[in-house]
Amino acid sequence: MIAKKISRRNVVKYAALGAVGVTIFNSAPIALEFITPNPEWPLPPGQVRPGATRIVSLSELFPGAFITYKFNFGRATLIGGLWFFDEKVSHQRRDVVQGVGRDISGGHNENIDVPEGLVSYCLLCTHLGCIPKKWNPQTGILTCPCHNGLYDIVNGAAVVGGPPPAPIPEIKLEGRGGDVWAVGWKDINYVKSLDVYRNKGVV
Ligand code: FES
């Protein structure tokens, strides 16, 4: 049998056609995104798609853990803090508004299918909107670096020092398939009552 000889020119031609094919195949999802009417795409850099957010796998958490994550429950990408304590924590009460007090702890745990010691709060300071991320595991106090606002995380993020007028709002958690998800505000009406959150267009 005589093998069909492929000329050097044909080798180049087939290689080029193959490359085009691979490019088209790889670009298909991107091209589909362009022609699919999706007002949320593309998102600006750093923005998170609105809705529930997977935070972390439960197996990666250990008592004492503190991690931050991005989330978006409607109009803005924000930063959340997730804590895992080996003790029972006090959650925020519902149906309170800014002005009621700097301690709104004593509420029910409304998280679903996650360990008792898990709790999450939005890291947008209720004073002027800085990001309180300085965590002291020994004292259980989260500090806002701008004006030294102090939040007691084990006790409903009660304000225990500095100028913040109200606790940072709690985020509702849910366990899904071994992962922890942030699924929404615990009390949207409380968030709406916070001046900084309204002024920054969060709600
Ligand atoms: S912005 Fe947080 S204490 Fe002022």
Side-chain angles (χ1 to χ4, degrees), residues 141-162:
I141 299 296
L142 180 75
T143 302
C144 179
C146 290
H147 313 97
N148 223 30
L150 307 177
Y151 297 97
D152 182 353
I153 295 303
V154 179
N155 290 303
V159 179
V160 290

Side-chain angles (χ1 to χ4, degrees), residues 124-132 143-151 161-165 196:
L124 180 70
C125 185
T126 58
H127 180 219
L128 297 177
C130 288
I131 301 174
T143 302
C144 179
C146 290
H147 313 97
N148 223 30
L150 307 177
Y151 297 97
V196 163

Side-chain angles (χ1 to χ4, degrees), residues 49 64 91-92 100 113 138 169:
R49 207 176 287 276
H91 293 265
Q92 292 183 342
V100 162
D113 293 336
Q138 269 74 47

